[in-house]
Amino acid sequence: MRVFIGIALSDDAKRMISENEDILRERILSGNFVPEENHHITLHFLGDIEEERIEQLKEAMDEASLHLRPFNLVTSWVGEFRKRKRFIIYMGLEESEELQKAHGRLKDALEDKGFETEKAPFVPHITLVRNAIWRKEDSEATLRETESTGRKIPIMTDRFVLFESKKVDGKLSYINKYESNFYTKKSINNVYL
């Protein structure tokens, strides 16, 4: 099972993010736009995991979420990661101490259960386009324009989600397999009363 742990976005946030993609659609020669229903924030990509280890993943998520409280995130700039001559275009997030803390707690819990985590620095983002090729040489102008016209989108963060990545009817889908809620005054040991 190919899995990752991330933060799910509300339908409203996904819709607003998709609206910001319109400027990009006009400027990109080719690329794979992430479908609206697949927008999310990845915290830890784990890759192929044996079915029998999924329970350990759930335990790690529960342990990490015990001392976290819900918090808000806000989208900010639009940026790009270069991959040879192609780009991954993404929407960044305003700096968040709470998000860094959640990422770190989850990393520690996963490693305690024997899972290997990514060594690269954590760059929180929402992927918009994969394998993008710009229509113009100057992608900077498009990124600045997207950033200036785009709205800051609030994202309520109150749980970790275990997603399975698989093809369904020929389309890549992210299927919610498990959720681990952060602590609230209405919960004891992540069980809502």
Side-chain angles (χ1 to χ4, degrees), residues 106-123:
L106 184 56
K107 178 182 172 71
D108 291 345
L110 288 167
E111 288 175 352
D112 285 349
K113 297 283 184 195
F115 291 99
E116 201 170 306
T117 57
E118 295 176 87
K119 303 298 179 224
F122 176 52
V123 180

Side-chain angles (χ1 to χ4, degrees), residues 7 68-73 95-105 157 160 182:
I7 294 168
L68 296 172
R69 296 191 182 276
F71 57 90
N72 289 307
L73 296 171
E95 197 169 311
S96 167
E97 206 172 294
E98 292 96 339
L99 180 59
Q100 294 297 330
K101 179 180 171 184
H103 178 266
R105 282 192 184 274
T157 306
F160 294 130
F182 296 168

Side-chain angles (χ1 to χ4, degrees), residues 17 25 47 53 76 82 90 92 109 117 124 131 137 178 181-182:
I17 289 164
R25 287 185 191 281
R53 295 205 68 200
S76 55
R82 188 178 187 106
Y90 67 89
T117 57
N131 297 316
E137 288 297 317
Y178 184 72
N181 295 307
F182 296 168

